[in-house]
Amino acid sequence: MKTKILKIDPLDFDEKDLIEACNVIKSGGLVAFPTETVYGLGASAFKENAVDNIFKVKGRAKDNPLIVHVDSFEKLLEIAEVDEKYFEAINKLTPGPVTFVLKQKVNLPKNVTAGLKTVGVRIPAHPVARKLCKCAGLIAAPSANLSGKPSPTDSQAVIEDLFGKIDFIIDAGSSEFGLESTIIDLTSEIPIILRPGPITIEQLESIFGKVEIPQFVIDASSVENPKAPGMKYRHYAPEKPVYRFNEVQREKVIKKAISENGVFICPEEHKKFYPDDRIMILGKLSEPYSIAQNLFKVLREFDRSNFKVAFIEAFEEKGILLSVMNRLKKASVEVEL
Ligand code: TXA
Ligand code: MG
């Protein structure tokens, strides 16, 4: 298949620049598009065959539902039931990097929701994503990567995984957050966090009061019966091995890395600890959102590099770094020394 790539300046574009991509979606094709979290692979949420193609192209398990993207709160209310007590909170958080799991109001094709009675809905803030939803209607979209690979945070990553397999790629530069949206289930009395993300647990607690944090959100290995079906699969992982380690293991890990052609993935502030020629920088500890922004990008850079193995420092699980660790625990294993 021929894949068309369209470059767009997200700060300076016209609605008509998106007409072709919009028509591709309306006629049942697949379009990779930028959002502020990661790039999405979109199909019309009402076209069952197009949605089927998303699963085929990604190699995605059928029991893993997709997020439906809409451009406004009004549209969200058309497809989902929302308890009025949550209206204010939703309006505070949207548009933005958060997905709400809600009771389904309309009958979406079964493959969108994996047969669940709920639906994940997101109102993205990225101007291109929103305009595309405005034009094409409801867009069902997972991240635009092959299943199991790190989510794409720029068009290069999308091209690497999906070029020749989808109709269209909109390239609007790098994603602002670099981590998938926070998912919060609003179908029970107390909101439940299903996936930590750019909106932190601390922020959610300040907006919702009490929230439930299931064990699998913190401890990636306890995913026996996760409520977000996607959380149980191997995820975010490069082809090559990635080991995570703690400060106290640093000296031993340096020896191991040198003997195994390894590279260190670390924040700017810690590069002084490692050999100059074995470093990939992951943002700054003093600006923790920069670490989230670079995580998937650097994991892909490692895959393209000549290094055989990567060693990455574990972070304290607070704020955005808790979300980073959630992904990292799935992409890596603890080093054995
Ligand atoms: O930031 C994001 O959320 C990106 C952009 C493209 O919007 N999308 C994304 O989609 O990360 P995906 O498919 O990679 O992850 C969606 C997650 C999966 O873990 C899935 O199980 C969960 O959302 N999910 C979707 N609908 C659900 C539902 N009704 N109940 C529980 N979990 C749901
Ligand atoms: Mg994904």
Side-chain angles (χ1 to χ4, degrees), residues 16-285:
K16 68 176 190 306
D17 299 335
L18 294 177
I19 288 177
E20 192 181 351
C22 172
N23 285 336
V24 169
I25 291 184
K26 282 181 174 166
S27 57
L30 302 188
V31 175
F33 63 98
T35 87
E36 71 276 25
T37 56
V38 300
Y39 274 68
L41 178 61
S44 165
F46 288 116
K47 293 201 180 295
E48 193 161 6
N49 288 338
V51 172
D52 245 349
N53 285 336
I54 289 181
F55 284 87
K56 282 196 194 120
V57 159
K58 279 183 59 96
R60 182 180 175 102
K62 288 265 164 64
D63 67 350
N64 193 5
L66 304 181
I67 293 171
V68 175
H69 297 68
V70 298
D71 73 325
S72 66
F73 184 57
E74 290 67 41
K75 287 259 178 59
L76 178 150
L77 289 178
E78 279 173 23
I79 60 168
E81 273 173 37
V82 187
D83 192 324
E84 276 190 32
K85 71 177 181 196
Y86 292 133
F87 277 24
E88 201 187 323
I90 293 178
N91 279 309
K92 253 192 208 154
L93 289 165
T94 60
V98 60
T99 295
F100 304 102
V101 170
L102 301 161
K103 221 185 252 164
Q104 229 182 113
K105 211 187 229 173
V106 290
N107 277 333
L108 292 161
K110 265 210 164 118
N111 52 4
V112 172
T113 58
L116 298 171
K117 292 203 160 58
T118 55
V119 58
V121 191
R122 168 152 133 75
I123 310 173
H126 195 291
V128 172
R130 281 188 85 190
K131 283 273 153 59
L132 194 64
C133 292
K134 190 170 168 211
C135 167
L138 309 187
I139 298 179
S143 48
N145 53 291
L146 293 174
S147 278
K149 295 267 231 115
S151 294
T153 57
D154 55 26
S155 65
Q156 186 189 2
V158 178
I159 290 168
E160 226 165 55
D161 282 14
L162 301 177
F163 190 81
K165 298 178 181 157
I166 61 177
D167 302 280
F168 209 98
I169 298 172
I170 303 174
D171 172 3
S174 294
S175 298
E176 181 190 346
F177 291 105
L179 274 193
E180 308 87 346
S181 62
T182 302
I183 304 182
I184 181 150
D185 182 341
L186 298 181
T187 61
S188 40
E189 205 37 51
I190 296 171
I192 308 170
I193 296 173
L194 299 184
R195 181 173 71 183
I199 303 291
T200 62
I201 292 178
E202 292 83 347
Q203 283 169 303
L204 292 173
E205 280 170 340
S206 82
I207 290 174
F208 288 102
K210 201 173 154 48
V211 296
E212 199 181 313
I213 309 163
Q215 189 54 27
F216 67 80
V217 166
I218 312 291
D219 177 6
S221 56
S222 70
V223 285
E224 294 257 296
N225 189 17
K227 283 211 172 161
M231 301 310 273
K232 71 176 180 242
Y233 298 103
R234 183 184 141 91
H235 252 86
Y236 317 122
E239 306 281 328
K240 297 186 270 188
V242 181
Y243 294 102
R244 62 179 189 278
F245 67 97
N246 297 313
E247 244 168 85
V248 292
Q249 298 171 305
R250 190 176 280 139
E251 287 314 312
K252 283 189 178 161
V253 172
I254 291 174
K255 285 201 189 104
K256 191 173 163 70
I258 292 173
S259 71
E260 294 178 8
N261 189 18
V263 65
F264 290 95
I265 298 178
C266 68
E268 178 77 37
E269 290 92 334
H270 289 179
K271 70 176 184 202
K272 60 184 179 212
F273 296 123
Y274 307 110
D276 282 345
D277 53 348
R278 295 185 183 280
I279 297 175
M280 289 184 180
I281 299 288
L282 194 58
K284 287 186 184 162
L285 277 177

Side-chain angles (χ1 to χ4, degrees), residues 290-310:
S290 70
I291 291 180
Q293 194 180 43
N294 285 306
L295 178 69
F296 290 143
K297 190 176 143 104
V298 170
L299 289 177
R300 281 181 182 262
E301 268 165 28
F302 158 58
D303 246 352
R304 286 181 219 122
S305 76
N306 292 322
F307 293 109
K308 284 215 163 97
V309 46

